[in-house]
Amino acid sequence: MEPQPLHTSTTTTTTTTPPRSSATCFVQGLKWTIISLFLFLSVTIAIAWLVLNPHEPGFRVTSLFVSNFSVSDSQLRGRYEVELNITNPNKNIQVTVERFNVWACYGSVGLSGAALLQPIYLENMSNKDVKVKLGLKDSPTKLAHKVVSQDMVKDWNKGIVNFDLKMLATITFKDGMWPTREKLLDIYCGDLDVGFVPIKNTGKLLGIGKDCHVRS
């Protein structure tokens, strides 16, 4: 009698994943809708400002008055009063100048500085005169000696000292319903000749003023 083959039975277990709840699907859909809407608005605003093409404000030094000025091997003193004219060249865009910092310099050496805390508002196609007073400053001996070694005494004795003004300003553009756009400006006003004749400790800007170079 021939032996009968053994039969083995295999049982297959199938695991089914329960469907996601409708609440989970709604949350996922809402999340992607918000992300898509945010990206759409960001691109729309960027294109709008690109089309509007706002121009940076112009800066011009109209007056530079120096008082209590003296230079020696051990001391450098001076009080500086600057008058600027700031112009908004945009026809439809308002400009606000914020966090405005000004430094008076001789070459690469900073002599005195000040910060304007009040914002400066400029309507479209308007300009405004701004006065900045830089406080009296006594420079340390090493700094004074460095400045003196760069021919400041010679310039002063000749009656004309060449100063520079350096400024940093944060500006915002505003046009109707569009969100404001912010920009940081690096402003440089060079070759400002100040005459100290006939009074040696008091000087004023020679000429009618000078435009500044704006770098963003």
Side-chain angles (χ1 to χ4, degrees):
M1 187 174 185
E2 295 181 0
Q4 297 295 322
L6 298 175
H7 295 280
T8 58
S9 61
T10 303
T11 302
T12 303
T13 302
T14 304
T15 304
T16 58
T17 303
R20 290 187 300 176
S21 66
S22 58
T24 303
C25 294
F26 174 77
V27 171
Q28 292 292 332
L30 180 62
K31 181 179 73 173
W32 285 111
T33 300
I34 293 174
I35 293 174
S36 300
L37 182 61
F38 174 78
L39 292 176
F40 174 77
L41 289 176
S42 298
V43 172
T44 302
I45 292 171
I47 294 174
W49 278 114
L50 193 63
V51 173
L52 290 170
N53 189 26
H55 296 287
E56 299 160 351
F59 295 80
R60 179 178 176 83
V61 179
T62 57
S63 174
L64 174 57
F65 183 74
V66 184
S67 58
N68 297 93
F69 188 78
S70 64
V71 182
S72 67
D73 292 336
S74 60
Q75 188 181 62
L76 171 62
R77 291 172 58 89
R79 186 190 299 273
Y80 306 85
E81 184 173 312
V82 182
E83 185 169 324
L84 302 166
N85 182 262
I86 307 176
T87 304
N88 177 11
N90 298 284
K91 293 182 179 180
N92 301 309
I93 299 174
Q94 298 175 348
V95 174
T96 303
V97 182
E98 301 175 339
R99 296 187 289 277
F100 192 37
N101 295 277
V102 183
W103 294 273
C105 305
Y106 180 79
S108 60
V109 180
L111 305 176
S112 189
L116 288 183
L117 302 179
Q118 294 294 328
I120 304 166
Y121 299 100
L122 295 168
E123 296 293 334
N124 48 310
M125 299 294 291
S126 68
N127 67 86
K128 186 171 293 187
D129 292 325
V130 178
K131 287 186 178 181
V132 185
K133 293 184 178 181
L134 286 67
L136 192 67
K137 180 176 180 180
D138 293 305
S139 297
T141 303
K142 291 184 179 180
L143 175 59
H145 181 72
K146 180 180 179 181
V147 174
V148 169
S149 67
Q150 295 178 350
D151 296 333
M152 192 177 204
V153 169
K154 292 181 181 179
D155 293 343
W156 189 44
N157 288 332
K158 291 178 182 178
I160 298 177
V161 179
N162 186 273
F163 293 97
D164 298 328
L165 289 178
K166 297 179 181 180
M167 295 172 269
L168 277 178
T170 301
I171 64 170
T172 55
F173 299 104
K174 184 178 180 181
D175 180 34
M177 66 177 183
W178 297 108
T180 58
R181 182 185 178 189
E182 189 174 281
K183 202 170 188 180
L184 178 65
L185 300 183
D186 182 6
I187 307 150
Y188 174 73
C189 312
D191 296 326
L192 301 172
D193 288 331
V194 174
F196 287 90
V197 177
I199 304 174
K200 292 288 289 182
N201 67 345
T202 302
K204 64 179 181 178
L205 181 67
L206 302 177
I208 59 174
K210 183 163 287 191
D211 292 328
C212 303
H213 179 63
V214 179
R215 296 170 290 187
S216 57

